[in-house]
Amino acid sequence: MSAKIISGTETAKVIREELQQEVAELKDKHNIVPGLVTILVGEDPASQSYVTAKNKTAKALGIYSEQITLSADTSEQELIDLVKKCNYDDKINGILVQLPLPKHINETNVLYAIDPDKDVDGFHPVNVGKMVVGEQCFLPCTPHGILELLTRSGVETSGAEVVVVGRSNIVGKPIANLMLQKRDAGNSTVTICHTRTKDMALHTKRADIIIAAVGVPKMITADMVKDGVVIIDVGVNRIGMTDAGKAILAGDVDFEAVKEKAAAITPVPGGVGPMTITMLMKNTIQAAKQAAGLV
Ligand code: GUN
């Protein structure tokens, strides 16, 4: 059996068309243009390419976007002052500070400075708390994208054994929480594995759905999964460079081998990545509507 490929690129395209339409209507009917600012500190090439993609997508949808790049030696206070300025800028509905930040900056202090109503990443504790109790809030973009991918590709999650590999605040913890909730793409029985898990394969082998978000290339191998599993691969690992200087990427899952056993699998690139960016756009539009009192 060779797995169905769950294309994030295709799904994201469909959602982006819906969002583009929504942005056009907001402009026509209410004279509202959603606004996003991305803030990058330093010159990490992967982060640079992510924020560039986010701004490019925003512009393509008709969202106003500002891309601010600060030098790696920017102080925590300077960054917090910039965030606070954006909190009061009426053109801006969504603020995204690209992570990770340089070591001398405390991430928590910066994320807490973002107005929760502009926290389109869903990382502020107000939004994290609302998410956990199942209230309306900005969902973090990667988990949100995974839920959309599962729903739109018709994967049954109710009662499914879901194994999340990785316990980050950005992916592992929130996706585990969301999938156990009584909601679409939820109602699952969820296990979280991490670096201290004694026997990872014991868990992954009985999973109906595996969500891999560890940042270790090809860590999930074919012998660790059962026939018919659904694989969501969040890993984006740079494993080399082409002669033309383009990064060669691999996921956290050994795609070539695992696709022969899986029922469905997301590729890297072209899987979860495009969905993350699309959900950022969705959240920014939602923030603009909330700011205007439309929802
Ligand atoms: N770094 C990796 N993923 C993300 C994300 O979803 N948001 C932000 N702000 N930084 C990230």
Side-chain angles (χ1 to χ4, degrees):
M1 182 172 63
S2 195
K4 169 186 156 190
I5 305 298
I6 302 178
S7 170
T9 307
E10 288 302 312
T11 309
K13 191 164 168 264
V14 173
I15 302 174
R16 285 178 197 184
E17 278 162 14
E18 296 165 7
L19 296 178
Q20 196 169 20
Q21 181 74 27
E22 198 175 351
V23 173
E25 277 178 24
L26 278 175
K27 173 82 180 132
D28 288 351
K29 292 195 189 142
H30 304 283
N31 202 25
I32 290 170
V33 178
L36 171 71
V37 63
T38 62
I39 303 171
L40 171 65
V41 185
E43 287 161 10
D44 175 63
S47 293
Q48 276 175 339
S49 78
Y50 295 144
V51 291
T52 301
K54 288 168 186 176
N55 283 277
K56 202 172 143 206
T57 308
K59 289 201 172 84
L61 297 189
I63 293 172
Y64 168 76
S65 88
E66 283 180 31
Q67 185 169 351
I68 300 176
T69 305
L70 303 173
S71 64
D73 61 0
T74 300
S75 72
E76 183 178 310
Q77 195 53 52
E78 283 170 320
L79 179 56
I80 289 176
D81 288 345
L82 174 62
V83 165
K84 288 187 174 160
K85 196 167 141 249
C86 296
N87 284 343
Y88 288 105
D89 185 340
D90 289 339
K91 292 193 302 304
I92 300 299
N93 302 109
I95 301 169
L96 179 134
V97 179
Q98 186 66 26
L99 304 178
L101 289 168
K103 293 222 164 13
H104 66 278
I105 299 179
N106 181 315
E107 245 166 49
T108 306
N109 292 344
V110 175
L111 296 179
Y112 283 28
I114 298 174
D115 178 345
D117 290 335
K118 296 192 176 188
D119 170 38
V120 285
D121 251 330
F123 292 164
H124 191 285
V126 165
N127 285 314
V128 176
K130 286 183 175 178
M131 178 199 71
V132 171
V133 293
E135 255 187 63
Q136 149 74 28
C137 62
F138 296 117
L139 295 182
C141 301
T142 301
H144 196 176
I146 294 170
L147 297 181
E148 285 284 345
L149 262 188
L150 290 169
T151 306
R152 291 183 187 237
S153 17
V155 175
E156 180 58 82
T157 61
S158 183
E161 292 287 338
V162 172
V163 173
V164 176
V165 187
R167 55 176 159 180
S168 70
N169 289 337
I170 296 182
V171 186
K173 284 187 213 161
I175 192 63
N177 196 280
L178 287 162
M179 292 200 70
L180 63 82
Q181 292 183 12
K182 290 181 185 170
R183 55 172 299 138
D184 285 349
N187 290 306
S188 306
T189 302
V190 182
T191 303
I192 309 180
C193 296
H194 47 78
T195 42
R196 299 291 175 93
T197 298
K198 283 193 185 132
D199 186 348
M200 181 91 65
L202 175 81
H203 299 284
T204 55
K205 265 186 203 159
R206 56 172 188 77
D208 300 313
I209 301 172
I210 296 175
I211 300 176
V214 266
V216 178
K218 304 185 187 185
M219 197 195 90
I220 307 292
T221 49
D223 58 321
M224 293 171 72
V225 309
K226 73 175 182 187
D227 285 326
V229 66
V230 173
I231 302 276
I232 304 290
D233 189 350
V234 183
V236 184
N237 306 293
R238 296 180 164 224
I239 56 167
M241 280 282 184
T242 64
D243 290 343
K246 204 165 170 263
I248 301 170
L249 303 178
D252 291 346
V253 176
D254 183 355
F255 180 85
E256 288 306 325
V258 171
K259 84 174 193 315
E260 298 307 321
K261 283 179 95 175
I265 186 167
T266 60
V268 177
V272 175
M275 293 300 292
T276 297
I277 298 180
T278 305
M279 293 304 111
L280 176 66
M281 303 303 132
K282 194 177 166 101
N283 283 352
T284 303
I285 296 166
Q286 177 70 16
K289 291 199 294 193
Q290 281 172 204
L294 295 176
V295 283

